[in-house]
Amino acid sequence: MTTIGSAKRKSRAIASLIGISVTLGLAGCDETNTDTDFKSIDTSAPVSDWQMVWSDDFDGDSIDSSKWFHEVNCTGGGNQEKQCYTDSAENSFVADGMLNIIAKPAEEDSPQPYTSARLSTKGLGDFKYGRFEMRAKLPFGQGSHPAFWMLPTDDVYGGWPNSGEIDILEAVNLKTIDDEGVTESKVIGTLHYGKDAPNNSKSGKEYLMPDGANPADDFHTYAIEWQEGEMRWYVDGYLYQTQMASQVRYNSKDQAVGLTHRGWFTEYFDIISGDLETHWDASPYDQEFHMLLNLAVGGTWAENVNDGGIDPAAFVNGQTYAIDYVRVYECSVDVETGKGCDTIRSGYKSEEDALVLGAAPLPKPPSTGIPVNLTIFSDTENPSWPIWGDNGDIDPTIQTEEDEHGAVVEFSIGATPTVMGFNVYESESPLGFDASPMVSAGNVSFDMKVVSPPSDASATWHFKIESNGQGGEEAEFELSEGNEGIAPVVGEWQTYTFSLQSLSDAGLDLSNIDVLMIFPSWGASAGAVYRVDNVTIAQEGGPGLPELVLFENGPHAEWLPSNCCAGDVPSEETDDDEHGNTIEFVIGDTDTVVGFTPSDLEKSFDATAIMSDGVVQFEMKIISAPTDTDAAWFMSIESTGGIENGNIGEKVEIALNLSQEAAVPVVGEWQTYTYTLSELVAINPDFLVDDITTVWIFPTWGKGNGAVFRIDNAKIYSPGGASEPNGDDNSSTPGLTLFEDATASGWAKWDCCSDTTPSIELDDDAHGNTVEFSMTGSTAETVMGFNSRTSDGGAGISFDASTLVGNGVIQFEMKLITPADDGDVAWKLKLESNGGEQGNPEKEKEFDFTESNEGEAPALGEWKTYTFNLADLYAEGFDVSAIDVVMIFPAWGTGAGAVYRIDNLKIANP
């Protein structure tokens, strides 16, 4: 069994699902809006490679028992329907070349008020992939519900809907007339799938026939074409709907980071591990299904739309579902996948036309364990978290308050019950937010002002937050249950705060938050108008960067001073006033190395978030030198257990005099030694900064006898170059500053293809040192910027901006010193990832300056700021996990003569 991007969690035993067969009736499909373009109707017949493999033209004088059997029950089809299904000829029979299914009143004392028929091909006609087609005339009247549909023959993935349901055709209450005089005439095609009921999912589309035709007035052809990973629905040969399997998006580390297409999914228990898994692949529609024909009366769908209930007058003489034929075709091009016989038209895979998005949840974003604050709305909409009205009567708008709030979101609720808020699934490329690293200190917070209260005075106000898609986890509170303990007051701005811990305690999965709602009580909210601002998921004081303090006045609780191979135990010793408590290592006549290792290799240190400017740093003082005067001193850092520990791993060993200080140890003197993580990776690219397990400090192996030395202030941390100020307390969030007075460690100033060398130039007081790029070389066919690749002067590192996608930006300032000889040229920002590849949107993305948030072109002699949202990069398919080149330049071949300066270039939260 192939799984794609499985998200696992332990649950009940496998036996509770595997092998259980639960067949439910069709669930209601309440999709709205029909966008058929009648001018583009193409009644193409199936291509010749479709080969008929099963058919029933109903030309005999009875129902063919070798093809159909009757399901006999009064259970209501799982939808509280009001019929008993019988095998009586009064409810189903063949006559005049037609199958007739009749719904009619039942006799007195019957378990249900109506009788009808439901026919199935299960065990007689079971199919995987193909074209399934029916020509039929549908019944009408309030309460009528005919269907042509399919269920799995074997519930391979569990009971309904885990193993799927395919509704080729449904219609309810045809020919009823609403209050506006509109006659019901739509048909619907739907898929049901996903989690266990009642958390199941569905997706589908309605269709209206051309020229006002009604399916109950004449015969029409209804079909689907089903192939591996794709289904298409047709009425009279017109393709009106396409649905596809979900497609998982992966980053450079082969981690699932989202969906390139949101389609169907399934969830089931792995038969070996017992884990409940989510699968974004062709399942559950990769098994055999059988066909069903039935005419239901009433139920939770039909009785709750149009005129409501059941109209007895519509059934007094019986309602007839007349079927001319049912046919099944097999694609002879590829029987195994069903591909190659597609009957298609332009627009069939366009969301603006036939393509229907499914309800698949997002894969959980890879967690770095690093807390990162998220601003969902503050003066402007976050493109990753669009404002959402959930099909209410009135769309949300952005309004301007005259006070300190400025731009705010205004939600208005009309007569239709709805909820409103912010929803990642409304974005171009949805990505859930991982708030789990902030569980102990983080909060969801927002400001709200009620402009007009609901007309129903009993309405209360609610906050609801969801994760893991439809049917996932959720937490809901009344606003008065927030930390402030206050209810809304008309005309007043009030702040509401809910701790992440309380949301977690209420059952929310903090690692994949995708919807946030603020609304009055469902069904009592009409008339409400309210404004929202400053919506955040954040940690007070801002999150911090990861840091490992090995020794500072005392040892780390889980990383202990260690002697690799001898019995001398490191001891804590008091030194001078500046250093106080230190750790002392003694090396005797047994060869060894000493330093710091975790008590458990599972406690390894992940330095990924500080890769751009992180360092390994310590102070050392020699008390007694080794007796062998030829002994040199080294620092060795290991990952994944390290070679020295006898495990398979990687290490970097480097002399102390090759540190940034280039200092040689001197007896009796404290000296500092610093190594950048980027230079360590450059020495050994296989060294894993996300799994550091050992730091050794020692004299040459075999020459250390007699050495006594002390270590203090030993740590792996970010000195600050990759940290961006966050709030009034100047705390930090992960980010990369490529240039601010100096170029980031591991990155090089770069001219791609000409013969100039970018220089550091002093500008005004506000900017100080800047980088100056000059297009005055031998060719204007070049690009310029910053490059981390070893072939271009970098250290071979890249920057992972995944944790910043929520509201991070790429931002820089630019000043045009000398314009291009061609005058007014277009200016570009271009990024590359994971080595770059021309024409591959995952590895390169280019913007015009006019596409920045500021939307301005450069001006001679003026510093201007340019900001681009990481969410826009991500939505375009760019892989933000391995950014290794940032270019700022005039359009290729047009920039001859241009001289410009760059400052404050960063990838960070604003």
Side-chain angles (χ1 to χ4, degrees):
M1 177 177 59
T2 301
T3 62
I4 300 179
S6 296
K8 302 181 179 180
R9 62 180 187 274
K10 284 286 186 183
S11 190
R12 57 188 181 277
I14 306 172
S16 66
L17 268 188
I18 300 299
I20 296 176
S21 176
V22 180
T23 303
L24 301 182
L26 280 72
C29 176
D30 53 4
E31 301 289 334
T32 58
N33 298 330
T34 303
D35 301 317
T36 306
D37 179 2
F38 298 117
K39 294 181 180 179
S40 64
I41 288 180
D42 175 8
T43 55
S44 303
V47 298
S48 59
D49 289 320
W50 285 116
Q51 301 296 316
M52 189 183 298
V53 294
W54 188 98
S55 68
D56 196 339
D57 290 347
F58 305 109
D59 290 332
D61 55 9
S62 64
I63 296 172
D64 188 342
S65 60
S66 70
K67 296 179 179 178
W68 304 94
F69 75 90
H70 288 84
E71 294 186 2
V72 178
N73 63 68
C74 298
T75 57
N79 299 308
Q80 301 177 38
E81 297 157 8
K82 303 302 189 295
Q83 80 287 321
C84 284
Y85 287 128
T86 80
D87 57 4
S88 168
E90 293 187 1
N91 294 117
S92 59
F93 59 89
V94 170
D96 301 323
M98 301 283 175
L99 170 65
N100 296 272
I101 299 178
I102 313 293
K104 56 188 294 185
E107 296 179 356
E108 290 186 13
D109 300 324
S110 176
Q112 298 283 9
Y114 297 91
T115 60
S116 186
R118 171 163 152 166
L119 280 69
S120 170
T121 68
K122 185 175 183 180
L124 304 173
D126 305 298
F127 310 93
K128 184 175 82 168
Y129 309 138
R131 179 180 172 98
F132 302 81
E133 183 179 300
M134 173 190 73
R135 184 173 183 266
K137 180 181 177 182
L138 306 186
F140 59 91
Q142 180 66 39
S144 62
H145 182 179
F148 173 35
W149 55 303
M150 303 180 75
L151 281 174
T153 298
D154 298 306
D155 289 335
V156 172
Y157 303 114
W160 189 90
N162 306 78
S163 292
E165 175 183 321
I166 305 168
D167 298 342
I168 303 171
L169 159 78
E170 290 184 273
V172 295
N173 309 329
L174 290 173
K175 303 188 78 169
T176 58
I177 302 174
D178 66 19
D179 293 339
E180 297 178 358
V182 177
T183 300
E184 179 62 69
S185 60
K186 62 179 174 285
V187 295
I188 303 101
T190 312
L191 294 179
H192 297 265
Y193 48 83
K195 303 173 185 288
D196 290 345
N199 296 319
N200 48 293
S201 300
K202 64 181 178 181
S203 47
K205 190 174 184 178
E206 302 169 349
Y207 178 76
L208 288 173
M209 293 180 178
D211 304 321
N214 196 295
D217 288 336
D218 205 347
F219 284 84
H220 296 273
T221 302
Y222 306 94
I224 63 160
E225 289 182 359
W226 168 26
Q227 66 189 47
E228 184 179 54
E230 182 173 318
M231 292 195 199
R232 300 175 295 276
W233 280 254
Y234 304 80
V235 174
D236 294 334
Y238 178 72
L239 195 171
Y240 77 92
Q241 175 183 193
T242 304
Q243 293 201 50
M244 299 190 300
S246 297
Q247 297 170 1
V248 179
R249 176 177 177 177
Y250 294 92
N251 64 15
S252 63
K253 303 172 184 177
D254 203 31
Q255 297 169 319
V257 294
L259 299 174
T260 56
H261 173 73
R262 189 185 185 201
W264 69 68
F265 74 104
T266 193
E267 183 179 270
Y268 56 88
F269 290 93
D270 183 88
I271 198 168
I272 296 175
S273 69
D275 290 343
L276 184 61
E277 298 181 345
T278 299
H279 291 250
W280 296 269
D281 51 27
S283 64
Y285 305 110
D286 59 353
Q287 304 294 323
E288 288 190 343
F289 278 60
H290 58 275
M291 296 178 289
L292 297 102
L293 293 167
N294 70 288
L295 172 52
V297 181
T300 53
W301 180 10
E303 292 185 57
N304 287 288
V305 295
N306 302 100
D307 296 337
I310 300 171
D311 179 9
F315 293 89
V316 66
N317 295 316
Q319 278 293 331
T320 300
Y321 180 11
I323 298 102
D324 183 16
Y325 65 76
V326 177
R327 295 170 182 167
V328 179
Y329 300 82
E330 181 180 81
C331 180
S332 61
V333 175
D334 189 339
V335 175
E336 291 300 315
T337 67
K339 296 180 179 180
C341 299
D342 317 28
T343 310
I344 58 175
R345 63 173 178 82
S346 62
Y348 86 107
K349 284 191 177 180
S350 167
E351 292 179 33
E352 304 302 317
D353 193 339
L355 183 62
V356 172
L357 296 182
L362 293 170
K364 290 186 179 182
S367 180
T368 62
I370 304 163
V372 177
N373 290 346
L374 172 68
T375 299
I376 293 174
F377 186 93
S378 180
D379 290 326
T380 186
E381 183 178 34
N382 184 331
S384 295
W385 283 79
I387 302 164
W388 176 61
D390 191 29
N391 299 319
D393 297 327
I394 307 169
D395 290 333
T397 59
I398 294 181
Q399 302 291 331
T400 301
E401 289 268 336
E402 295 183 358
D403 59 15
E404 70 274 11
H405 285 274
V408 299
V409 182
E410 182 172 284
F411 297 106
S412 302
I413 301 181
T416 302
T418 188
V419 293
M420 294 188 166
F422 307 86
N423 188 334
V424 302
Y425 292 105
E426 298 297 306
S427 67
E428 291 185 31
S429 191
L431 179 68
F433 178 68
D434 181 11
S436 58
M438 296 189 286
V439 61
S440 61
N443 300 287
V444 178
S445 178
F446 54 89
D447 297 338
M448 189 183 94
K449 180 174 86 171
V450 176
V451 178
S452 300
S455 54
D456 187 333
S458 68
T460 55
W461 287 84
H462 296 257
F463 160 67
K464 185 176 182 180
I465 189 166
E466 297 179 352
S467 60
N468 293 317
Q470 182 180 356
E473 292 73 33
E474 63 183 43
E476 182 173 344
F477 296 89
E478 291 189 12
L479 294 193
S480 58
E481 296 179 273
N483 293 356
E484 295 78 11
I486 55 176
V489 177
V490 176
E492 292 185 15
W493 279 103
Q494 293 176 302
T495 299
Y496 297 92
T497 306
F498 297 84
S499 72
L500 290 175
Q501 185 65 64
S502 68
L503 302 180
S504 178
D505 292 344
L508 184 72
D509 180 357
L510 297 179
S511 70
N512 200 18
I513 297 173
D514 47 25
V515 180
L516 187 152
M517 294 166 273
I518 305 160
F519 58 96
S521 302
W522 180 268
S525 55
V529 179
Y530 54 106
R531 294 182 171 182
V532 173
D533 195 14
N534 299 324
V535 185
T536 63
I537 304 177
Q539 182 171 295
E540 284 191 22
L545 291 168
E547 179 178 86
L548 174 63
V549 178
L550 297 167
F551 193 96
E552 189 175 53
N553 291 323
H556 189 284
E558 294 173 338
W559 275 68
L560 303 176
S562 174
N563 188 320
C564 156
C565 314
D568 299 299
V569 178
S571 61
E572 295 183 40
E573 303 292 341
T574 302
D575 204 274
D576 56 30
D577 292 341
E578 181 180 349
H579 293 86
N581 199 34
T582 65
I583 188 72
E584 184 172 284
F585 297 97
V586 176
I587 297 181
D589 47 5
T590 300
D591 295 340
T592 189
V593 293
V594 295
F596 304 89
T597 60
S599 55
D600 181 346
L601 289 181
E602 295 297 321
K603 304 294 185 181
S604 63
F605 179 63
D606 183 355
T608 305
I610 58 172
M611 181 63 195
S612 60
D613 82 328
V615 298
V616 180
Q617 187 179 78
F618 56 90
E619 291 183 77
M620 186 180 91
K621 174 181 173 182
I622 297 178
I623 304 299
S624 301
T627 55
D628 189 331
T629 57
D630 291 333
W633 287 83
F634 296 89
M635 187 276 295
S636 178
I637 187 167
E638 301 177 359
S639 64
T640 320
I643 297 169
E644 299 294 346
N645 287 343
N647 299 314
I648 298 173
E650 296 293 337
K651 73 173 182 178
V652 179
E653 185 171 300
I654 186 169
L656 295 196
N657 64 341
L658 296 179
S659 66
Q660 290 190 344
E661 296 79 9
V664 176
V666 177
V667 174
E669 294 185 14
W670 280 104
Q671 295 186 132
T672 300
Y673 300 90
T674 307
Y675 303 89
T676 66
L677 291 173
S678 58
E679 70 178 306
L680 298 177
V681 171
I683 294 170
N684 181 3
D686 294 326
F687 172 68
L688 303 176
V689 295
D690 63 347
D691 196 21
I692 297 172
T693 56
T694 307
V695 177
W696 299 120
I697 304 164
F698 58 95
T700 305
W701 179 268
K703 297 184 178 182
N705 186 23
V708 179
F709 60 101
R710 295 176 180 177
I711 300 293
D712 197 11
N713 299 321
K715 54 188 174 180
I716 305 173
Y717 76 113
S718 165
S723 305
E724 298 302 325
N726 182 64
D728 296 336
D729 61 355
N730 203 42
S731 56
S732 298
T733 57
L736 170 66
T737 297
L738 278 167
F739 190 90
E740 185 178 25
D741 291 325
T743 306
S745 175
W747 289 73
K749 306 181 293 294
W750 174 67
D751 176 349
C752 155
C753 313
S754 185
D755 51 7
T756 69
T757 301
S759 59
I760 301 294
E761 301 293 339
L762 187 65
D763 204 273
D764 57 30
D765 292 343
H767 294 84
N769 284 338
T770 64
V771 179
E772 184 170 287
F773 297 98
S774 177
M775 305 283 282
T776 57
S778 58
T779 178
E781 294 185 339
T782 189
V783 291
M784 297 182 173
F786 300 84
N787 194 319
S788 68
R789 297 172 189 161
T790 54
S791 58
D792 297 305
I797 63 174
S798 61
F799 179 65
D800 184 353
S802 301
T803 59
L804 303 173
V805 167
N807 54 280
V809 298
I810 302 163
Q811 188 178 75
F812 58 90
E813 292 183 78
M814 185 181 123
K815 176 180 175 181
L816 186 58
I817 304 298
T818 305
D821 296 340
D822 287 349
D824 189 15
V825 301
W827 285 81
K828 309 280 185 178
L829 167 71
K830 183 175 182 180
L831 289 91
E832 293 187 356
S833 176
N834 199 25
E837 181 180 337
Q838 189 169 2
N840 184 345
E842 292 183 5
K843 295 189 175 185
E844 67 171 18
K845 178 58 184 173
E846 184 172 300
F847 294 97
D848 286 342
F849 277 21
T850 53
E851 297 178 87
S852 68
N853 294 353
E854 296 78 12
E856 296 182 347
L860 186 64
E862 293 183 23
W863 280 104
K864 287 184 176 290
T865 299
Y866 297 92
T867 308
F868 299 84
N869 297 321
L870 282 173
D872 293 333
L873 273 171
Y874 181 83
E876 293 288 334
F878 183 74
D879 183 359
V880 300
S881 72
I883 298 172
D884 50 13
V885 180
V886 177
M887 293 167 267
I888 302 164
F889 59 98
W892 181 266
T894 68
V899 179
Y900 56 103
R901 293 178 179 177
I902 300 295
D903 198 12
N904 300 320
L905 171 59
K906 59 186 178 181
I907 305 173
N909 278 338

